Amino acid sequence: MAQHFVRTGWSSRSSSWHGYEVETSWCQLEVEPIDGPDVLLNGVVDPQRFDELGGVLHRLGLSYSLELYQGDDTLVREMHG
């Protein structure tokens, strides 16, 4: 999964036995495998570029659900693709 991001210009580094951290100037994500074919992505994104993150995932051919929270854990936006 991390290699997909690297091919689009993001940096990547190992963060655990099976996880990776992928990063660009406006987003930092932890990529963790979970049971089945799914992958858990969590991290920090510039709220003004939230739609751009959805676009990256769409171009990679991934199905996804994104949630954007404020610092007080209030859900601000959701996006599915």
Side-chain angles (χ1 to χ4, degrees), residues 6-43:
V6 170
R7 282 187 225 125
T8 62
W10 294 47
S11 64
S12 174
R13 63 182 163 270
S14 178
S15 61
S16 68
W17 286 103
H18 301 287
Y20 288 86
E21 185 176 271
V22 293
E23 183 174 20
T24 190
S25 62
W26 51 269
C27 186
Q28 181 180 19
L29 298 173
E30 188 74 26
V31 180
E32 290 286 340
I34 56 177
D35 291 338
D38 295 332
V39 174
L40 175 64
L41 301 173
N42 66 45

Side-chain angles (χ1 to χ4, degrees), residues 50-71:
F50 185 72
D51 291 329
E52 191 170 342
L53 177 56
V56 169
L57 297 174
H58 177 76
R59 285 189 300 280
L60 292 175
L62 303 173
S63 61
Y64 60 88
S65 294
L66 293 176
E67 297 175 341
L68 179 65
Y69 289 89
Q70 287 181 309

